Amino acid sequence: MPGFFSKQRIIARPGYSRWLAPPAALSVHLCIGQAYAFSVFNDPLTRIIGISASATDDWKLTELGWIFSLAIVFLGLSAAFGGKWLEKVGPRLTMFVAACCFGGGFFIAALGVKLHQIGLLYLGYGVIGGIGLGLGYVSPVSTLIKWFPDRRGMATGMAIMGFGGGAMIGAPLSVWLMDQFRSATSVGVMETFWVMGGLYFCSMLIGALAIRIPPSGWLPEGWTPPVVANKMITDKHVHIDQALKTPQFYLLWLVLCLNVSAGIGVLGQASVMIQEMFKGSVTPAAAAGFVGLLSLFNMGGRFFWSSASDYLGRKHTYMIFFAVGAVLYATIPTMGMAGNMAMFVLLYALIMSMYGGGFSTIPAYLADIFGTRFVGGIHGRLLTAWSTAGVLGPVLVNYLREYQIGQGVAKAEAYNMTMYIMAGLLLAGFAANLAIRPVHEKHHMKHGDFDELDGIYPAGDADH
Amino acid sequence: MNERPNNNPSSRLLVALFWLYVLTPLAWGVWSTVKKALALFG
């Protein structure tokens, strides 16, 4: 009898609705998306000893900044190195391990707060929680693509939209919990970590228990694979290790990295940027509202654009991101100088929707190019582009801003050059995307390759 | 092998409940963010 976590145990029985798979994925992504709301803990964590104000022995913001950075680094590493394991053991075990790591990371971090040991926060939320983030992020992707061969983009968009939405739940939930636990002797962070660790573990566990994989050869009712072959959508499969030997992998890596770099750099500076460009007319509260609005478009774009890519085609969708994005970035300085805040906000919102769309459309693009068999693992390896962009984007924006101010440029105009550089990055992404062609058949897996792995043939693969 | 039509009412109820379980907190998060975003237009 196969083990509780084995792939064989979670093959769907007749009558299972494929519409149960997206909420199972969302149960995980809505939790791990909390990572982007971790900054709400920064200020209270600097007052663990002093409570009302920072004491001499309290942690500094510079020390605390490493917690999030470590989490993102380990997200990238675990997604890259855990992808192959994911394909072997299946989504249930991967989601369960992700739940243990992410929930357990909160518990270790809570212990770190209690003992006032910053190392335990680095280890708990940063390293172990980061591994949970990476495994949780990639675990449902290939399963969703297999359940929705007719709407790959929409399926992955639903899950990855959850990652964007997770921060929207995590931030107010954290603030509310800290308010409940705050007392004369506690800022409420430790107790909040305990509760959130438990909540997130349970929710991710529900996802792990609910997820099912389709039986071999399964197809949606009434759907047959298109007869007229689209050259950009293969029905073959490329092994995860072989994918790294193709130029397509590196071009797609560039596509993701450049799209994310352009968005992530300005996202981190959005609040300061709008206040400096429209000095006197934007309050800090309004600037926070601007950031909230961008988050909404970021999340909505994840679903909208990846769903649209099912009709537009993946390559065309990225062409739109890069071409339209470059034009929008180049237009922003003009709107800023004209004092047209409404247009400024609208342009940014559109850019953020395409930034989010870049994340959610890439798994379907990978499935089109490399096939569905190893798409989860290949996606994990491609996420190193995200980690790289996480460093490149903010460094580029901050460095350019400081350089321009050092050259005597007014603060309100200091972002203009940055916008043009971002437009340039997107044009480079356009060229990389344009160069993507179908993978050469020498990289495709042969019949015997599947036997060497686990003897399981991918859905719709009977002819191989 | 095509999916069989799923006419089981309990299965459809399960699907609806599962979606409700994930969409309710998401809707709360979106609403909290929208309220914050309204400050931009206030």
Side-chain angles (χ1 to χ4, degrees), chain A residues 90-437:
Chain A
R92 176 179 276 180
L93 181 58
T94 317
M95 287 162 119
F96 176 70
V97 172
C100 292
C101 289
F102 196 62
F106 266 105
F107 296 150
I108 295 171
L111 194 65
V113 175
K114 185 175 174 62
L115 302 174
H116 206 254
Q117 292 291 325
I118 189 83
L120 285 175
L121 272 87
Y122 292 157
L123 174 70
Y125 194 91
V127 177
I128 298 174
I131 291 171
L133 282 176
L135 293 179
Y137 192 92
V138 296
S139 58
V141 166
S142 63
T143 304
L144 285 171
I145 285 175
K146 286 163 192 162
W147 274 120
F148 290 87
D150 48 340
R151 280 178 279 183
R152 291 171 174 178
M154 182 206 70
T156 56
M158 279 190 280
I160 293 173
M161 173 190 75
F163 194 79
M168 293 186 195
I169 300 169
L173 178 65
S174 308
V175 171
W176 184 80
L177 285 171
M178 283 190 287
D179 284 344
Q180 306 307 307
F181 291 120
R182 189 176 296 127
S183 69
T185 55
S186 171
V187 290
V189 176
M190 182 190 71
E191 299 86 343
T192 301
F193 278 179
W194 285 117
V195 172
M196 290 183 85
L199 279 177
Y200 285 145
F201 173 77
C202 291
S203 179
M204 291 169 79
L205 190 63
I206 289 169
L209 295 175
I211 198 79
R212 295 287 184 278
I213 54 176
S216 180
W218 177 89
L219 292 172
E221 172 68 17
W223 182 78
T224 47
V227 179
V228 181
N230 179 340
K231 282 182 183 174
M232 290 303 289
I233 302 177
T234 184
D235 61 349
K236 305 291 190 292
H237 304 274
V238 178
H239 190 276
I240 184 170
D241 294 329
Q242 193 65 26
L244 294 183
K245 296 172 186 165
T246 66
Q248 285 81 0
F249 178 86
Y250 298 97
L251 288 169
L252 283 163
W253 192 96
L254 270 177
V255 162
L256 182 64
C257 184
L258 292 168
N259 189 56
V260 176
S261 294
I264 210 168
V266 290
L267 189 59
Q269 293 290 329
S271 174
V272 181
M273 193 183 297
I274 194 169
Q275 289 180 76
E276 288 184 353
M277 290 186 91
F278 298 94
K279 209 165 182 65
S281 56
V282 178
T283 63
F290 175 57
V291 176
L293 192 74
L294 295 186
S295 308
L296 284 170
F297 273 83
N298 177 7
M299 187 190 80
R302 288 169 190 245
F303 182 68
F304 173 80
W305 285 111
S306 59
S307 300
S309 75
D310 288 334
Y311 303 97
L312 297 170
R314 252 57 83 171
K315 191 169 180 175
H316 290 154
T317 304
Y318 277 92
M319 290 296 190
I320 293 171
F321 292 166
F322 291 126
V324 177
V327 171
L328 294 181
Y329 266 122
T331 312
I332 281 175
T334 314
M335 293 302 149
M337 283 186 278
N340 191 338
M341 196 171 75
M343 278 302 288
F344 177 89
V345 170
L346 179 68
L347 296 186
Y348 254 113
L350 288 173
I351 286 172
M352 280 304 119
S353 82
M354 293 190 282
Y355 163 76
F359 277 113
S360 57
T361 310
I362 207 77
Y365 206 166
L366 290 170
D368 290 355
I369 297 289
F370 296 111
T372 57
R373 182 65 181 83
F374 285 100
V375 66
I378 297 170
H379 181 220
R381 293 187 176 180
L382 200 84
L383 289 183
T384 50
W386 179 7
S387 304
T388 307
V391 177
L392 181 68
V395 164
L396 209 54
V397 170
N398 294 338
Y399 174 79
L400 284 171
R401 180 174 174 274
E402 291 305 316
Y403 175 78
Q404 287 207 292
I405 290 172
Q407 296 292 308
V409 176
K411 276 187 176 179
E413 294 165 18
Y415 290 106
N416 292 359
M417 181 57 74
T418 311
M419 296 302 129
Y420 296 131
I421 299 276
M422 295 295 147
L425 287 181
L426 290 178
L427 289 177
F430 187 92
N433 187 48
L434 197 64
I436 294 173
R437 298 277 184 274

Side-chain angles (χ1 to χ4, degrees), chain A residues 14-15 17 19-20 22-24 26-27 30 158 165 168-169 172-173 203 206 210 215 217-223 285-286 288-290 292-293 296 299, chain B residues 1-6 8 11-12 14-16 18-42:
Chain A
S17 169
W19 289 98
L20 285 166
L26 276 167
S27 299
L30 285 172
M158 279 190 280
M168 293 186 195
I169 300 169
L173 178 65
S203 179
I206 289 169
W218 177 89
L219 292 172
E221 172 68 17
W223 182 78
F290 175 57
L293 192 74
L296 284 170
M299 187 190 80
Chain B
M1 187 177 91
N2 279 88
E3 178 189 38
R4 291 180 190 178
N6 188 358
N8 182 351
S11 177
R12 276 183 291 173
L14 184 68
V15 171
F18 203 12
W19 273 101
L20 198 65
Y21 163 71
V22 291
L23 290 182
T24 304
L26 182 61
W28 176 70
V30 168
W31 172 238
S32 301
T33 310
V34 167
K35 275 198 297 186
K36 201 168 81 170
L38 287 176
L40 184 62
F41 307 104

